[in-house]
Amino acid sequence: MTSTVPQQSFLDRPFVLDLFAGPGGLDVAGHELDIPSLGIEWEKSACLTRYAAGLETLHADVSAVRRDAFESLPPEINVLAGGPPCQTYSVAGHGAGREALEEVKQYIHRLVAGEPDEAIDEDLKKLSDPRTALVLEPLRYAIRATRSRARANRPYDVIVLEQVPTVAPVWEHYAKALRDKGLPDGTKYEVTFGVLATERYGVPQTRSRAVLIARRAGLGQPSLPSPTHRAYEPKAWNHRIASGENPVHQPTLDDDAEARGRGKKADEDLPSWKSMGEVLRDRVGTHPGRTTPFLVRSNYGSSGIPGRRGVRTDQQPAATVTGRISRFVVFEHLDENVVHEGARFSMNEAGMLQSFPPDYPWSGTAQAQQVGNAVPPAFGMHLLSAALGLPTPDTQLLRKPWQAATEDQRAKSRSHGCGDAGACTERCPRPQDQVPPPSSRPRKKASVK
């Protein structure tokens, strides 16, 4: 699958290091842009998916690689990317990251001031949830690059970060530190950040992400990617349903009047967002196609209409795809009261709703969680293109079935990633180390937004 996008990046040879790489969303995006990448991921099943997909992988702890194996990373890497685990920042989690936000900001100050890693590591042990500290790893990698003998102390040229919207204040503090203070060696960056809706970039689901794009000073001011599709307006859609209008009516230019009334700019020249039906309708690869109209009942609400809570039609984008995607119930008779408890999206379909190519080789256990945790590849293509100064990408490339790696290719990838062609080794993270200790505080019930 070779991209037809012309390479016009200001970097001669972009090479991405993808921290917390998951099953490969950003790496798939890079693949379609002909940009090589190396992903670091510590969850075994996600690595098995990556090996099956033929993606360059290290089965390792991101923090451990920075401490102990940074010099072994390819020195030509010039783009740092990552989406640190979000559980402690997510509105659906315990909230340890939100409570520790001010403390995290102080760690950012200490890092750019050049404090020793040992002192910072010792203090980080005091955090109630160790995953909260992982949001600092991209900054620590950026600093480590300027102290690397293998890299001749060369900083990364570009940094691309994405996470749940509640991490936006952290990215804002990152931006101030990178732009105003700079790294301890004096390297500064031009930075832009914001919260973007993925349906505006061709992803068939409503999903908001806080993103940051930074370029080393002298490489030009970065900008966020320009939307290619209109925003989904749930209130306008549900108003039509409550009024008895056609529930499969696609938005028109007139439907943007409500958005204009709220002060939002109408995207009059952009096509509508992509719907579930549009993405799943056609037969492609092993996907048989869904030609019958359907409803989907998810775990999410529907803008205050109690009778249709958590229900969307095939003419709407999916609700945010999370690890609960396997629980979404699909009704093919357009009547949510007719229960078909066995009807679920296949993992292939769930991946397609995340904009992964059909037949992406989901492997190992907890596949639904892998799908939900991934960066949508279509969104990743837009992020990388904007960061590198490439033209707007053709995300239709993601509609082609993915060619899985051969057994020999998987063995070679695993030999590099784990140290053995057929199994994990002592250098791989242990499963018991991958589960943080439970919080001693009682769990607070939180709504999902």
Side-chain angles (χ1 to χ4, degrees):
M1 292 181 291
T2 302
S3 171
T4 58
V5 176
Q7 294 294 296
Q8 299 176 6
S9 170
F10 56 84
L11 299 180
D12 290 337
R13 293 182 178 86
F15 191 155
V16 178
L17 177 63
D18 186 10
L19 308 180
F20 313 101
L26 198 65
D27 304 79
V28 170
H31 181 276
E32 298 296 359
L33 294 171
D34 293 333
I35 298 172
S37 64
L38 170 64
I40 303 177
E41 172 56 40
W42 82 341
E43 207 283 311
K44 179 179 177 180
S45 289
C47 287
L48 293 179
T49 295
R50 295 177 61 87
Y51 298 147
L55 302 176
E56 288 297 318
T57 303
L58 289 180
H59 183 196
D61 179 350
V62 164
S63 301
V65 172
R66 171 181 52 79
R67 290 192 305 266
D68 307 324
F70 191 93
E71 296 298 298
S72 67
L73 296 175
E76 62 269 28
I77 288 173
N78 51 13
V79 178
L80 177 68
C86 69
Q87 290 91 337
T88 63
Y89 291 90
S90 171
V91 295
H94 289 275
R98 299 194 302 280
E99 294 178 7
L101 180 58
E102 292 304 318
E103 194 171 1
V104 169
K105 290 180 180 179
Q106 291 305 312
Y107 281 113
I108 292 174
H109 279 300
R110 293 173 62 182
L111 285 167
V112 298
E115 284 197 32
D117 282 341
E118 295 77 13
I120 291 178
D121 286 338
E122 191 63 30
D123 287 344
L124 285 172
K125 294 177 182 178
K126 302 173 184 177
L127 293 173
S128 60
D129 191 323
R131 294 173 297 182
T132 301
L134 295 177
V135 77
L136 298 169
E137 283 299 332
L139 179 58
R140 303 188 81 173
Y141 265 74
I143 294 170
R144 184 69 179 81
T146 66
R147 301 169 177 169
S148 168
R149 184 177 303 132
R151 295 180 57 85
N153 303 333
R154 180 169 52 87
Y156 296 118
D157 293 311
V158 174
I159 300 173
V160 181
L161 306 176
E162 70 86 42
Q163 205 28 276
V164 294
T166 48
V167 179
V170 178
W171 292 165
E172 181 178 8
H173 218 66
Y174 256 70
K176 292 179 180 178
L178 293 172
R179 182 176 54 227
D180 300 337
K181 179 68 176 180
L183 304 182
D185 75 327
T187 299
K188 292 186 177 182
Y189 290 81
E190 299 291 345
V191 189
T192 185
F193 63 94
V195 176
L196 305 178
T198 62
E199 83 270 13
R200 306 200 70 194
Y201 300 92
V203 180
Q205 66 170 295
T206 51
R207 185 187 192 99
S208 295
R209 307 302 285 177
V211 304
L212 177 148
I213 298 175
R215 292 181 187 170
R216 187 166 51 81
L219 297 178
Q221 175 67 44
S223 60
L224 297 175
S226 298
T228 55
H229 294 73
R230 288 185 231 158
Y232 171 66
E233 295 291 339
K235 289 185 179 180
W237 178 276
N238 287 322
H239 175 73
R240 289 194 296 273
I241 295 177
S243 301
E245 297 180 36
N246 183 0
V248 298
H249 163 63
Q250 285 278 15
T252 67
L253 297 183
D254 291 337
D255 295 329
D256 281 331
E258 180 180 337
R260 286 195 293 272
R262 292 196 302 272
K264 295 182 179 180
K265 180 180 179 181
D267 301 310
E268 296 183 355
D269 296 328
L270 298 180
S272 174
W273 29 260
K274 287 189 177 180
S275 68
M276 292 183 281
E278 178 183 355
V279 170
L280 300 180
R281 182 181 304 115
D282 297 335
R283 177 189 297 271
V284 56
T286 61
H287 173 59
R290 281 187 176 270
T291 57
T292 303
F294 59 87
L295 294 174
V296 178
R297 186 178 67 208
S298 72
N299 301 81
Y300 305 104
S302 189
S303 296
I305 298 181
R308 300 191 61 81
R309 184 167 180 80
V311 176
R312 293 191 181 184
T313 77
D314 60 306
Q315 293 300 302
Q316 295 169 272
T320 303
V321 174
T322 69
R324 297 178 180 180
I325 183 66
S326 60
R327 303 180 189 178
F328 288 16
V329 182
V330 182
F331 305 93
E332 291 196 339
H333 297 286
L334 300 186
D335 183 355
E336 67 206 69
N337 296 315
V338 179
V339 179
H340 300 277
E341 289 299 333
R344 298 290 191 275
F345 287 126
S346 68
M347 282 303 101
N348 192 18
E349 290 176 316
M352 291 167 70
L353 292 178
Q354 271 278 58
S355 74
F356 275 87
D359 292 344
Y360 195 70
W362 303 102
S363 304
T365 60
Q367 293 181 15
Q369 196 66 45
Q370 292 183 51
V371 174
N373 287 346
V375 177
F379 188 57
M381 290 179 72
H382 282 277
L383 289 181
L384 289 177
S385 295
L388 297 170
L390 293 168
T392 301
D394 179 10
T395 58
Q396 285 297 111
L397 294 169
L398 296 167
R399 298 289 292 156
K400 300 178 182 178
W402 186 268
Q403 299 299 315
T406 65
E407 289 300 322
D408 287 345
Q409 290 170 333
R410 294 188 194 197
K412 182 178 180 180
S413 295
R414 190 162 191 181
S415 179
H416 178 246
C418 291
D420 186 278
C424 288
T425 65
E426 291 184 357
R427 82 182 197 190
C428 298
R430 299 179 306 171
Q432 59 265 37
D433 294 334
Q434 297 179 17
V435 180
S439 171
S440 59
R441 295 175 289 105
R443 183 177 179 86
K444 298 178 181 179
K445 187 174 181 180
S447 61
V448 177
K449 296 183 180 179

